[in-house]
Amino acid sequence: MKYSSQMVAKPYFIFALILLAGEILFGLLMAIQYVYGDFLFPLIPFNVLRMVHTNLLIVLILFGFMGATYYLIPEETESELWSPKLAIVTFWVFLVAGVTTILGYLFVPYAHLTELTFNNLLPTMGREFLEQPLPTKVGIVLVVLSYLLNTGMTILKGRRTVITTVLMTGLIGLAFFFLFAFYVPDNLIMDKFFWWFTVHLWVEATWELIMGAILAFVLIKVTGVDREHIDKWLYLIIAMTMVSGILGTGHHFFYMGAPEYWLWIGSISSAVEPLPFLLMVLFAFTMSRERKIQHDNEMALTWAKGTAVMAFIGAGVWGFFHTLAPVNMFTHGTQLTAAHGHLSFYGAYIMIIFTIISYAMPILRGRPHGNCAKAQKVELTSFWMMNIGMMGLTLALSAAGIVQILDQRVGTELIGFMESQESIAGIYMVRGGFGLLVFIGLMTYFSSFFIKEEAK
Amino acid sequence: MTERITKSMAKNIYYGGGIFALMIFIALTFDTVQQIPERSNEVDMTPSVVAGKKLWEDNNCVGCHTLIGEGAYYAPELMNVFQRRGGSDEAVFKAYMKGWMAVQPIEIPNRRKMPQFNLTDNQVDNLSDFLIWTSKVDANEWPPTIEG
């Protein structure tokens, strides 16, 4: 570790991983309730499980991004973090806000929670992924502002690189587009339209910039490839991200009340969306092949290649499956969307967080050459368990989606939703099984942290 | 492939392409905002419809159902529930909704459960009005069938 302020990244990483365990656990509970409707009902109805599952995911990714930023920004700018103290205070504020919100979901009926948290003053709740009470939303704004300030000030006083510029652009975008979460028009269609400004432009534009910056940083560190070369790749990747991702928002506007021209614009531009992910795969593998150093932390490079590949499959390939308007007519609102959502979030965002943690955490723990061979072996096992688990559950959800379409939307012998769901129960059990594998994989990953270094 | 592209070329593609895409997006956003009132029949958005939307949100209905294809996939699509369960007849649909909301949760073992939300008759009517309004939105011919 070159700068002592990088140490603030550690609690962010640890807490992100704890939240990930909670996120997967709630996913497993949902998988059970999907098949056994009485499970946990009425103690925790499905909508509550789902809110906890998705909100934990969002929050853990933000924690992961912040940890990654605080680790890499001092090294990139060659100066200490502007205010490590602010970063620590922000960590605790975010932690308390996050935990309180989750407890609120679990212990207060949602309709009552809306009353308690001033939702009648400024209604923002009850929309998918943006279910957070008003005070939590305001808290997120403050946390993100503090994060922007700290990062921005550090960049201003230090060296500027392509990585810091891209990262900062992503962060500003993240902060800006969250503001649409506060805009809730009475017209449902208008509401849906601007809701995507937060949801899509986070996930398929600004977050991709952040991911690209983190990936480029880790690749520089573990391959020793010339920075100029890496920078060029990074620019190309984010150029493709911007060109395809911004207008790609159109693929959400096909069938929700927006005008017809989105059918064309959304289809064409989102057909290009796999490209930045394909470039990331080429990027990771080319840098790995051309590497100038043989870093002892082999797992960091494995995760870096893994995140590029899984993001390409999840976001690129699975996204493309249903992104053309005539296909989306039949897939819209089915389990295929869930399949794509699961693999893309995992591949792009969970794995990039594993990548930076795998690289940075050993250094933060005083192991500049990475963990010992034994620990890395366990980590590699967990890498495969989680990848296979996620791939399996994605395939199961895809199969479920296809059956759903055949049951409800194609041909003349149609059956209703509930009946169709019953016919898919077996597939949902398979999904749950693969989910369990992911969870065991994560526990295996955790165990790799506790393997003692061999005496040298 | 990347040998022929220099760093500054890549940088220009990023800024040029990004700004170009953003400008088109902003222009289309303005146009869409102009068109939504007509496509969604905003003139028919009565206070009851607006109240229904608020109830939809306050009870986190989207946490289980999809509405125009967006939401959770645990429970049926509701954009066309007016046609499916009400036969496009407002009185029939409202009566159906009152009965349906009152009997929740339905005690069939291991059937997925809908919680009891304890809404008043008036509130259920608001929800019905909201769903009736939603069913008439021009969503480019979606959903493909009555089963949603």
Side-chain angles (χ1 to χ4, degrees):
Chain A
M1 196 172 53
K2 294 186 184 118
Y3 300 89
S4 61
S5 56
Q6 286 176 285
M7 210 54 168
V8 301
K10 201 172 171 183
Y12 281 93
F13 287 151
I14 293 172
F15 195 59
L17 290 176
I18 292 171
L19 293 181
L20 178 61
E23 191 246 343
I24 299 175
L25 198 66
F26 274 85
L28 289 174
L29 298 180
M30 290 162 80
I32 299 172
Q33 213 181 52
Y34 242 81
V35 189
Y36 301 101
D38 287 337
F39 178 69
L40 288 180
F41 188 88
L43 193 65
I44 320 182
F46 184 82
N47 69 307
V48 175
L49 290 176
R50 186 174 193 265
M51 261 192 306
V52 176
H53 179 64
T54 56
N55 283 222
L56 279 177
L57 174 69
I58 298 166
V59 171
L60 93 86
I61 291 172
L62 292 177
F63 269 104
F65 283 170
M66 290 182 195
T69 307
Y70 293 144
Y71 182 84
L72 71 80
I73 218 77
E75 270 186 39
E76 279 297 299
T77 59
E78 296 180 334
S79 76
E80 293 286 357
L81 191 64
W82 181 64
S83 171
K85 204 175 272 174
L86 180 65
I88 292 295
V89 171
T90 309
F91 170 79
W92 286 106
V93 170
F94 199 19
L95 184 148
V96 171
V99 171
T100 316
T101 305
I102 300 296
L103 293 179
Y105 289 161
L106 286 172
F107 295 106
V108 184
Y110 194 74
H112 190 48
L113 191 64
T114 64
E115 286 165 25
L116 288 178
T117 57
F118 319 106
N119 193 53
N120 293 327
L121 285 180
L122 177 65
T124 65
M125 292 173 73
R127 295 173 312 142
E128 198 185 2
F129 312 129
L130 301 178
E131 298 94 347
Q132 306 83 25
L134 189 60
T136 309
K137 285 202 180 84
V138 173
I140 292 175
V141 170
L142 294 177
V143 164
V144 169
L145 282 180
S146 142
Y147 172 36
L148 263 181
L149 177 72
N150 219 341
T151 310
M153 292 306 280
T154 313
I155 293 174
L156 280 181
K157 74 187 173 87
R159 179 180 69 151
R160 254 165 265 180
T161 66
V162 176
I163 291 179
T164 62
T165 308
V166 173
L167 185 67
M168 200 60 200
T169 315
L171 295 186
I172 292 171
L174 183 157
F176 176 73
F177 288 113
F178 185 66
L179 297 179
F180 288 95
F182 292 91
Y183 178 59
V184 186
D186 284 341
N187 185 324
L188 174 76
I189 308 307
M190 204 75 98
D191 180 356
K192 280 173 176 285
F193 183 71
F194 285 106
W195 176 84
W196 282 114
F197 280 51
T198 300
V199 176
H200 174 95
L201 291 172
W202 265 20
V203 175
E204 291 173 63
T206 57
W207 287 14
E208 276 183 48
L209 299 189
I210 300 171
M211 179 199 174
I214 300 173
L215 184 63
F217 173 79
V218 174
L219 285 174
I220 288 178
K221 296 295 164 180
V222 297
T223 65
V225 170
D226 184 33
R227 184 181 280 275
E228 280 292 302
H229 199 45
I230 296 241
D231 285 351
K232 185 173 77 181
W233 275 92
L234 182 56
Y235 269 130
L236 275 181
I237 290 169
I238 60 170
M240 291 301 130
T241 302
M242 282 301 158
V243 171
S244 65
I246 294 176
L247 286 169
T249 320
H251 62 213
H252 301 292
F253 300 153
F254 294 161
Y255 306 114
M256 45 68 80
E260 282 90 357
Y261 51 71
W262 289 110
L263 298 173
W264 288 98
I265 292 175
S267 297
I268 293 167
S269 44
S270 63
V272 188
E273 276 196 75
L275 209 58
F277 291 105
L278 182 66
L279 281 177
M280 275 193 215
V281 176
L282 293 173
F283 177 42
F285 281 83
T286 310
M287 295 307 107
S288 168
R289 203 175 50 240
E290 295 173 0
R291 64 178 178 270
K292 304 279 193 293
I293 54 167
Q294 198 68 41
H295 202 287
D296 293 329
N297 187 345
E298 290 176 22
M299 272 316 292
L301 187 55
T302 306
W303 281 113
K305 289 193 240 174
T307 189
V309 171
M310 295 304 272
F312 173 66
I313 299 175
V317 178
W318 248 261
F320 185 75
F321 281 157
H322 57 151
T323 203
L324 300 177
V327 179
N328 195 259
M329 166 64 91
F330 293 95
T331 60
H332 183 48
T334 66
Q335 296 291 341
L336 269 173
T337 316
H340 162 59
H342 278 84
L343 199 62
S344 49
F345 268 95
Y346 170 75
Y349 301 121
I350 301 302
M351 285 183 78
I352 192 66
I353 291 170
F354 280 136
T355 306
I356 185 75
I357 291 180
S358 186
Y359 170 71
M361 207 52 172
I363 300 172
L364 293 171
R365 298 173 79 199
R367 302 166 180 178
H369 299 287
N371 292 321
C372 66
K374 198 177 155 202
Q376 287 200 43
K377 211 173 155 195
V378 174
E379 195 178 337
L380 185 63
T381 310
S382 75
F383 170 90
W384 285 110
M385 287 167 85
M386 288 190 271
N387 282 342
I388 293 168
M390 286 308 297
M391 204 58 230
L393 81 80
T394 301
L395 286 169
L397 286 174
S398 306
I402 291 167
V403 175
Q404 220 181 341
I405 293 163
L406 295 176
D407 280 352
Q408 291 178 254
R409 294 182 177 174
V410 180
T412 45
E413 308 255 319
L414 303 174
I415 59 174
F417 179 89
M418 295 305 284
E419 213 182 318
S420 168
Q421 291 297 299
E422 270 169 40
S423 76
I424 306 173
I427 303 176
Y428 286 140
M429 286 188 197
V430 173
R431 178 267 294 265
F434 279 109
L436 189 63
L437 179 61
V438 177
F439 189 71
I440 298 171
L442 184 69
M443 292 302 121
T444 308
Y445 175 75
F446 285 175
S447 75
S448 77
F449 282 82
F450 298 98
I451 293 172
K452 292 224 160 47
E453 289 290 277
E454 291 143 20
K456 279 189 183 150
Chain B
M1 156 196 128
T2 56
E3 305 309 316
R4 268 172 285 147
I5 303 173
T6 62
K7 182 175 155 183
S8 73
M9 277 163 74
K11 187 177 171 180
N12 291 338
I13 301 174
Y14 167 57
Y15 283 107
I19 291 169
F20 179 68
L22 200 60
M23 273 167 30
I24 297 181
F25 185 70
I26 292 171
L28 292 178
T29 294
F30 274 103
D31 185 72
T32 300
V33 169
Q34 297 293 317
Q35 291 203 40
I36 283 177
E38 200 191 310
R39 297 180 59 95
S40 62
N41 310 304
E42 203 170 270
V43 282
D44 299 331
M45 233 168 64
T46 61
S48 178
V49 171
V50 175
K53 177 174 183 274
K54 181 81 170 26
L55 283 163
W56 169 268
E57 289 161 1
D58 284 351
N59 291 285
N60 195 27
C61 305
V62 81
C64 293
H65 291 276
T66 48
L67 186 61
I68 324 191
E70 290 162 7
Y73 317 112
Y74 189 67
E77 163 66 40
L78 296 182
M79 182 194 192
N80 56 356
V81 70
F82 172 53
Q83 286 86 352
R84 191 166 58 241
R85 297 285 179 245
S88 301
D89 182 312
E90 298 204 3
V92 172
F93 181 61
K94 285 187 175 175
Y96 172 82
M97 279 286 283
K98 284 199 186 100
W100 179 256
M101 297 302 287
V103 299
Q104 304 302 325
I106 297 173
E107 289 302 332
I108 299 173
N110 275 326
R111 185 182 195 275
R112 293 182 190 170
K113 296 286 183 297
M114 175 156 156
Q116 175 52 250
F117 291 101
N118 300 309
L119 303 180
T120 63
D121 276 0
N122 193 23
Q123 287 176 317
V124 177
D125 275 345
N126 294 152
L127 262 184
S128 301
D129 283 332
F130 171 61
L131 291 173
I132 292 167
W133 175 83
T134 305
S135 75
K136 293 172 182 164
V137 168
D138 178 0
N140 294 332
E141 323 257 310
W142 198 89
T145 69
I146 189 80
E147 295 300 345

